[in-house]
Amino acid sequence: MARRTKVYEGKAKILYEGPEPGTLVQYFKDDATAFNAKKKEIIEGKGVLNNRLSEFFMVGLNNIGIPTHFLKRLNMREQLISSCEIIPLEVIVRNFAAGTLCERLGLEEGRQLSRPLVEYCYKDDSLGDPLVSEEHIAAFGWASHQEMDEILSLALRVNDFLSGIFYGVGIRLVDFKIEIGRVFESDFQRLVIADEISPDSCRLWDIDSGEKLDKDVFRRDLGNLTDAYSEVAMRLGVIQPSNSKVAEPRLVK
Ligand code: C5P
């Protein structure tokens, strides 16, 4: 098999050079990490599920006119994406109090927020991705004022889209994180939703039971992570019940 050029390896994904200029291949690993990679495990099948789920959300966003980096899924673990310059921010949207918001402000988990709350963290693992304000973002030139206006609007549109999709299958979108990239096309530059959208980057609770169906299952040792992600994928029709345990193809000797 031809050797590919690895462009970047992160905690859950690898980027390879794509077949055409301006493209990359995004490979989803089975690695699960939490607490800034202090907790690590390989969870068989997670990458396959996240590849399919991220495809589902990105295709939906593209279809309603919210640009993303997604071009097409290539196979069980890989998708072709537009190469972009990632803005070094984690854009977090919260509908209900959970996670670090509760830790920071002493809020009770699950409290509905009076309106979606958008937060920004500076993407730097060595600093633990600290929360930053728009003043920091402007002062350090991570994004322009005009880009920040666009990012806020994109984040809220993605929130409306995802909240509706999840509500339709009995799941509450508590919060999520997205990353934004700049795509350069001749003299133009536009912002796109990049990275991934999956239960790794969202908090998803069953509306009736409150059961957690996201990476908190791994963070808090609440059960089997692929069962939770498969449940999300099945409810959304991304996988069928019969093949809910997504297995890697095996070589038959
Ligand atoms: O940990 P915290 O409560 O700030 O996370 C808010 C949301 O952002 C959660 O859905 C979490 O999964 C996501 N997140 C992420 N990657 C990070 C930090 C948070 O996907 N590095």
Side-chain angles (χ1 to χ4, degrees):
M1 199 166 60
R3 231 172 222 289
R4 291 189 296 184
T5 309
K6 195 191 277 188
V7 177
Y8 172 80
E9 178 156 5
K11 286 177 281 205
K13 295 182 295 296
I14 305 174
L15 294 177
Y16 295 100
E17 260 178 18
E20 313 279 342
T23 65
L24 292 170
V25 172
Q26 178 164 256
Y27 175 96
F28 286 76
K29 303 196 280 187
D30 278 341
D31 302 52
T33 61
F35 312 117
N36 205 8
K38 287 189 190 83
K39 179 172 172 149
K40 282 190 214 168
E41 227 175 276
I42 304 284
I43 298 186
E44 203 186 328
K46 180 178 86 86
V48 174
L49 283 160
N50 280 352
N51 185 26
R52 296 287 302 275
L53 282 162
S54 201
E55 171 194 17
F56 175 80
F57 298 121
M58 296 283 185
V59 166
L61 289 171
N62 284 339
N63 283 340
I64 61 161
I66 300 178
T68 80
H69 71 166
F70 181 86
L71 297 172
K72 68 171 177 180
R73 184 165 61 83
L74 298 172
N75 55 48
M76 300 267 278
R77 284 185 182 272
E78 294 177 328
Q79 43 186 248
L80 188 68
I81 57 169
S82 301
S83 150
C84 55
E85 181 183 272
I86 294 287
I87 294 179
L89 296 175
E90 305 209 319
V91 179
I92 293 173
V93 184
R94 301 178 186 273
N95 298 305
F96 293 82
T100 57
L101 179 68
C102 293
E103 288 166 24
R104 244 183 285 129
L105 301 181
L107 300 177
E108 186 195 341
E109 186 182 71
R111 173 167 147 187
Q112 185 162 19
L113 303 174
S114 56
R115 58 177 199 160
L117 180 63
V118 182
E119 296 177 338
Y120 305 101
C121 295
Y122 178 53
K123 248 175 86 68
D124 185 328
D125 283 341
S126 67
L127 301 174
D129 301 330
L131 185 71
V132 290
S133 70
E134 286 196 47
E135 288 298 302
H136 292 97
I137 296 167
F140 295 107
W142 297 322
S144 67
H145 278 299
Q146 194 190 330
E147 284 176 326
M148 288 313 293
D149 286 347
E150 207 180 320
I151 289 171
L152 178 63
S153 149
L154 282 171
L156 293 173
R157 288 175 74 198
V158 172
N159 185 42
D160 284 346
F161 172 77
L162 292 179
S163 295
I165 293 228
F166 282 121
Y167 184 76
V169 295
I171 293 174
R172 171 165 296 153
L173 177 62
V174 174
D175 57 32
F176 64 94
K177 182 251 343 184
I178 48 172
E179 295 186 22
I180 310 287
R182 298 183 183 103
V183 172
F184 299 94
E185 283 155 358
S186 50
D187 286 347
F188 290 101
Q189 177 197 305
R190 62 195 179 100
L191 298 184
V192 298
I193 310 297
D195 192 51
E196 73 179 293
I197 299 178
S198 75
D200 267 7
S201 53
C202 301
R203 276 201 179 88
L204 305 170
W205 298 351
D206 179 82
I207 286 179
D208 293 326
S209 67
E211 185 192 355
K212 294 183 178 17
L213 299 168
D214 56 64
K215 202 160 102 176
D216 276 349
V217 171
F218 168 71
R219 292 188 188 101
R220 301 192 189 178
D221 294 318
L222 298 176
N224 183 305
L225 193 73
T226 46
D227 283 354
Y229 287 20
S230 297
E231 173 68 22
V232 174
M234 268 190 292
R235 288 201 202 181
L236 293 168
V238 170
I239 59 171
Q240 301 310 312
S242 54
N243 67 353
S244 61
K245 299 269 183 207
V246 182
E248 288 281 7
R250 287 185 201 285
L251 183 64
V252 179
K253 291 187 185 161

